[in-house]
Every structure is written in structure tokens, then in C-alpha cells.
Amino acid sequence: MAAESLRCRECGEAYSLDAHYVCERCFGPLEVAYAERTISDVGEARRRIQAGPQNIWRYAEFLPIDAPPGPSLRASSRFGLPAGCTPLIKADRLAERLGLREVWVKNDAANPTHSFKDRVVSVASARARELGFDVLACASTGNLANAVAAQAAALGLESYVFIPADLEEQKILATGVYGTNLVKVKGNYDDVNRLCTELSGEKEGWAFVNVNMRPYYAEGSKTIAYEVAEQLGWETPDRVVAPIASGSLFTKIAKGFSEWLELGLCTGGLPAFNGAQAAGCNPVAAAFESGADVCRPVKPDTIAKSLAIGNPADGPYALELARKSGGAIDQVADDEIRAGIRLLAETTGIFTETAGGVTTATLAKLAERGDIGSDERVVLVITGEGLKTLDAVRGTFEAYEIEPSYDAFEAQVGVRA
Ligand SMILES: [Zn+2]
């Protein structure tokens, strides 16, 4: 399934597979288009995938690169950080708590820098190297900053990472440690993104993974769908609940399933897609609720900073997907986000960041509303690690503090019968 061109999602105009991201005719976003392909021997194709490496490059034939980074290239530093092949965990206690039949957690916190962003950065940086770029850069709400700084370190590339100045300290520390050029911008993510868009037009040799490399970057999220299908025995789930920031992840997971369904690589139908947003940054959820086709930009004010994109680039496509797949897009308040983090942690042993709290709280809301059928298999996409947003759980539980004696333990803690 070789990538054939970049194509405008609005007018269909085709462009070469270079660092373009916006249509010159209509300013629509560009997306990677692939040559038509059929698979005659599905069993053989599945075996080929299964024999591949334990990372996203097992799906290289479905990604927009000439060749996967690996032994065929000379220097070992060209491997980069291997992303993907994260666990899909059957969450029976969570399902039971919510009165659902079958819930699976796709735990993308298990990636090298603990979020799904390692997938998209892997693809963007692989393509950037093929196109001859020697600097990696990004506009980030946090997780992408971690991923770009680490990937650049692994590849031996220089990097520039732009973040809103008020980002969580954990995410700033976990970015700066890799030796990147860390630029804190006094403004919100949308300000950072505008600055990076301007810079990408000026700085030759710079690959802004989510600006001028965006069409390639976005394709990396399809690998979540491929993995889920493979992990479920080459079947699609009935429903996917995933967070929405720009809307790219949400729509690309659907693209991954669609591609494989068309090729016959997996069975089932396109799942219903439920998007999750924070009430403090809800442009897509608000548009869904009001029946609008476009999103009205908002000024973010939420603890879920990794989802705090007030003007989401793929918002209209996320709306279209939720509607056509029989899903929805919901919003949850900051208190529900904290409760969502606790719910997931207490029932699965997985500690997620605030974005995962948004997603889990949305699943709880859907279950409560009776929107999930009694026979459904649901996949909850957890995109990042709880240690990155520790403030969100501070004060949500109490600990015992005692003198180091048996009596003190018995008096103050005791043993629950
Ligand atoms: Zn166009």
C-alpha cells in the first residue's frame, strides 16, 4: 500500500510526497493518499505482520515512508526509539463497575516517553530524514515535547521544542532532560502553534513534526487501530472511546480500521467512535451537541492540558466520524476527570494522566446514560502516563502516618476485617 501523493481533504488536489501540509488552492489540510491495493492471501499477509518487529514498523507497508528505519540503513542511530506494540488489557473490574460486558484498555502510556505521541513522532521523523531534514521541532501541549526531544536524542538530531510557558512541571522536566532547545512561549497552545507555523515557513531544514510534516505525523496514529485489531484476533471492536485534542488521533484510528477492513485483513465493521473532551476545552463536544459542522474556537481552561487545543484542526472530521459511526462526543468537568483517573487506577492498576481521566470519565458517562449495548466490546484508548500530571491526584486520597511501633499501627490503622 505505497503512499502515492498528498491530497487535499477538501478539494482533492494532489501534491508530491514532500513537506507540504496545506492546499495551495483552497487552504484545506493535506492527507497521505495510497495506491489502490488488494490482498489475495490474507493469511500470508497476517503472518508477515506477525513476523515483523515488536513496534510500529511491523506495519511499515501501511505507513508513508520509503523504508522502515532499521538494519537496511547504515548507522544504528537511525533506528530511533521504537514505539508501539503497547498492551491491550481486558479490564473486567472496570467493566463490572460500569455495568458493561467487555472493556479493553489500550495502554499507550507504555510507549518510550509514555504517550501515544511516540507513534506519530516515529513516522514524522522517519519521513523527515528521508526528505533530508536535520532538525526536529514541534508545537506541543506536553506529550509531544517529550516525544520529539527523546526521538531527536535517539537519532542524534538537533531539536527545538515549543511549549506554553504554564505547562505541568513534570512534562517540562521530562523534555529538557534530553538536551533539546526548550522554548517556553508566553501564551496558550494556539499561540505556540501560530508561532511554529510562521517559523516553519522560514527555517529551512527544520521538520516541525506537527506542522510541515503533519500529513506523515498524523498517519502514525493509525497504528493504534492496527494493533487493537491484531490483538483482538484480527477483529474490530464494536466501540472505541478516545480523547480529542486536535481530532487527529480520533480520526486516524478510524482510518486504520477502515483500511484493514477494506483489505480484508480484519473482520467486523467500523466501530462506533466516542470522543472525549474536557468541559474546559470543549470546541468539538459543543459543536456535536449543537449539531454544527464546524467548531467555534474556545480559550482553554482545564486541568487536561494535553487536550487543551482551543482551535482543533481536525474538529470537523472528528464531528463527521462521530456522527456517521453512531458515536458521540462528550465533555466532562475537571472533578469528573480526577474521578476518572481514580476509577481507572483502582480497577485496572493503570495510572493515567488527565487526558486518560477525560476518556475514562466519558466511558463512565456513556455507561450511565445507557449508550453502550449489553453485547458490546469496547476499547478505551489511554494515551498517556499519570506521573506526568501528578497535581491532578494530589489531595484525592489520604495516607496513614504513624510512629514505628506495633501499638501505633493497631491504634491508628488496624486491620480491616
Ligand atoms: Zn484544496
Side-chain angles (χ1 to χ4, degrees), residues 7 18 54 69 136 178 185 267 296 308 340 346 361:
R7 203 161 294 160
D18 294 305
Q54 288 294 319
L136 288 187
Y178 296 112
V185 178
T267 57
R296 190 183 302 167
E346 290 174 9

Side-chain angles (χ1 to χ4, degrees), residues 52-71:
Q54 288 294 319
N55 56 55
I56 62 164
W57 300 124
R58 73 206 271 108
Y59 309 116
E61 62 186 291
F62 308 100
L63 296 171
I65 50 169
D66 295 335

Side-chain angles (χ1 to χ4, degrees), residues 8 11 23 26:
C8 174
C11 76
C23 177
C26 77

